[in-house]
Amino acid sequence: MEMVLTEDQELIAKTANDFVKEKSPISRMRKLRDQADPMGYSRALWKEMAELGWVGIALPESVGGAGMGMSELVVVVEALGRSLAPEPFISCVGLASAAVLELGTEAQQELWLTPVASGEQTIAFAHLEPETRYEPHAIQSEARREGDGFVLSGRKIQVLDGFGAEAFVVVARTDGASGEAEGISLFWVPADAEGVSVERQTLLDSRNAAIVQFENVQVPQASVLGEPGQCGEALERIIERGTVVLCAEMLGGMSEAFRLTVDYLKEREQFGTRIGTFQGLKHRAARVFMEIELARSCVMAAARAIDESSEDASKLVSLAKARCSDAYILAANEGVQMFGGVGMTDEYDIGLFMKRARMSELTLGDANHHRKRWSALSNY
């Protein structure tokens, strides 16, 4: 497995970093936050990203995508993570679109993913339910068969970028009990369907999320993804793809947090000398650097494993999320401490990375969850 970027991937990375510096500095995220923007991100900028091919980079050419893979997608998302860009790559591309690719027919993919690849629409993945922690099969939302379709009822929480999305990919149970893989089904539900209500939430890091309620929503057979009741294993693969996209964003965030910290160490003077010359701070900075590089290797390995359909893909995804969770928290915490008192103020960007690190750690499974999952997959 190659652990370095190809020439094409390096070009994508440079283009993405240049674009982010020009169009999406951290000041843009601050402005969206301070204005309490209802979307939490820019649909106009999302359209620009789609025109550059980023939204569809991992989607097939048949729907207007570039036909590339996770290895190229994570390069773009890493650049976005450096500026805390709030665009819905994790929810729309990493999760919801992945679900349609995994389970949808060619007709469904063309119908639903073409407007996604062009930036005309966003879709969100409605999976998590109250008091279920990170168990993917802990689903109580019910979809009962009625005539040729289903009637869907349930409550979904922490739906990333759910407010403003044109449609949801909803995980519900057509059979079995909560916690069982059998009986899991996925459905395509337009946001304006009768019985769907969306309540806007704002997460700690100012990211768009929503509570979505489904009350007796009529879902036709044409909106069923995959075989009803047989989507438990596919659901895990979908979440794995979204987790790798999240890890890429975390990698960009921790890298930028570290860069800000090192720059501050080179500038700040104390006792007549720059604090970056203090041996104790050098050691701490060196540890952060090593943890980031380890996390980078894990993310690259996980992305390539998914592209290659490797047998180790699931283990590598959990390895990447566990390492990224620890490394991002470490980089943010050390950054705030080395900045000193000013690091706790909103004036400095380092505190924004701490908030994003906290939310990212808890999204799609924290470090402890993924260590236990890795152990189980490794038969420990």
Side-chain angles (χ1 to χ4, degrees):
M1 181 184 292
E2 292 288 339
M3 296 300 290
V4 295
L5 297 181
T6 65
E7 185 176 339
D8 287 345
Q9 290 166 354
E10 288 181 350
L11 180 60
I12 293 170
K14 183 181 185 307
T15 302
N17 280 299
D18 290 346
F19 179 90
V20 168
K21 288 178 182 178
E22 179 184 356
K23 298 292 185 71
S24 184
I26 295 180
S27 58
R28 182 180 75 93
M29 190 279 285
R30 283 182 175 274
K31 184 177 179 180
L32 290 168
R33 179 200 65 177
D34 294 343
Q35 293 178 345
D37 186 273
M39 289 291 290
Y41 63 91
S42 167
R43 289 300 287 262
L45 195 63
W46 177 253
K47 188 72 165 59
E48 281 192 59
M49 293 176 180
E51 290 171 354
L52 287 170
W54 296 352
V55 177
I57 198 168
L59 297 180
E61 295 179 7
S62 59
V63 301
M68 295 184 179
M70 291 293 292
S71 299
E72 288 75 29
L73 176 59
V74 297
V75 169
V76 171
V77 178
E78 180 187 349
L80 297 171
R82 291 178 181 272
S83 69
L84 303 178
E87 274 60 42
F89 273 87
I90 298 168
S91 59
C92 181
V93 180
L95 291 167
S97 294
V100 178
L101 282 178
E102 178 79 25
L103 296 169
T105 64
E106 291 185 5
Q108 288 174 329
Q109 291 177 16
E110 184 177 356
L111 177 63
W112 297 332
L113 294 183
T114 300
V116 171
S118 66
E120 299 295 334
Q121 294 185 7
T122 63
I123 53 180
F125 192 66
H127 167 248
L128 193 63
E129 298 187 0
E131 301 179 3
T132 57
R133 197 61 174 171
Y134 306 125
E135 171 53 51
H137 302 137
I139 302 298
Q140 295 185 11
S141 296
E142 178 188 25
R144 69 179 187 276
R145 186 172 285 279
E146 186 174 283
D148 293 334
F150 291 84
V151 176
L152 174 65
S153 295
R155 184 171 184 261
K156 299 295 184 178
I157 63 172
Q158 300 290 307
V159 179
L160 290 178
D161 302 301
F163 186 85
E166 278 74 22
F168 300 98
V169 174
V170 186
V171 183
R173 184 168 291 283
T174 50
D175 194 13
S178 179
E180 296 178 356
E182 291 295 320
I184 297 289
S185 303
L186 273 68
F187 304 89
W188 175 275
V189 180
D192 59 359
E194 186 175 353
V196 178
S197 61
V198 181
E199 178 185 347
R200 173 74 153 90
Q201 290 180 298
T202 301
L203 302 181
L204 174 67
D205 59 348
S206 303
R207 175 163 267 165
N208 173 341
I211 297 173
V212 186
Q213 189 78 33
F214 302 91
E215 293 192 10
N216 298 319
V217 179
Q218 299 287 332
V219 183
Q221 181 64 40
S223 293
V224 178
L225 287 163
E227 186 68 25
Q230 303 299 316
C231 300
E233 292 185 7
L235 174 61
E236 293 193 58
R237 292 192 294 271
I238 293 161
I239 293 174
E240 286 175 357
R241 293 180 69 91
T243 301
V244 173
V245 178
L246 171 61
C247 286
E249 182 186 90
M250 296 173 76
L251 179 61
M254 68 180 81
S255 299
E256 182 64 13
F258 181 65
R259 185 194 69 79
L260 291 174
T261 302
V262 171
D263 286 350
Y264 188 76
L265 293 178
K266 293 177 180 178
E267 297 171 359
R268 174 80 167 117
E269 290 191 2
Q270 195 171 22
F271 308 118
T273 186
R274 290 190 173 92
I275 63 175
T277 63
F278 298 164
Q279 188 175 37
L281 297 185
K282 285 182 178 180
H283 289 172
R284 291 168 69 176
R287 183 192 170 199
V288 174
F289 174 78
M290 289 188 293
E291 291 297 326
I292 292 174
E293 290 306 300
L294 284 171
R296 181 179 302 282
S297 296
C298 292
V299 174
M300 293 175 69
R304 282 158 173 71
I306 288 179
D307 286 341
E308 297 168 6
S309 300
S310 169
E311 293 181 357
D312 292 331
S314 295
K315 289 195 295 184
L316 289 171
V317 169
S318 280
L319 175 66
K321 185 55 165 66
R323 298 297 309 191
C324 283
S325 294
D326 288 343
Y328 202 174
I329 292 292
L330 176 67
N333 284 358
E334 289 287 72
V336 169
Q337 288 200 11
M338 292 188 203
F339 267 78
V342 296
M344 298 298 295
T345 67
D346 190 60
E347 179 183 356
Y348 286 77
D349 292 337
I350 189 64
L352 302 178
F353 286 94
M354 174 179 277
K355 292 178 180 178
R356 179 63 61 86
R358 291 295 188 277
M359 290 308 305
S360 298
E361 179 201 16
L362 298 175
T363 302
L364 301 178
D366 61 13
N368 287 336
H369 168 79
H370 280 284
R371 286 194 183 94
K372 291 178 181 177
R373 184 174 184 266
W374 186 91
S375 296
L377 291 169
S378 302
N379 297 318
Y380 285 140

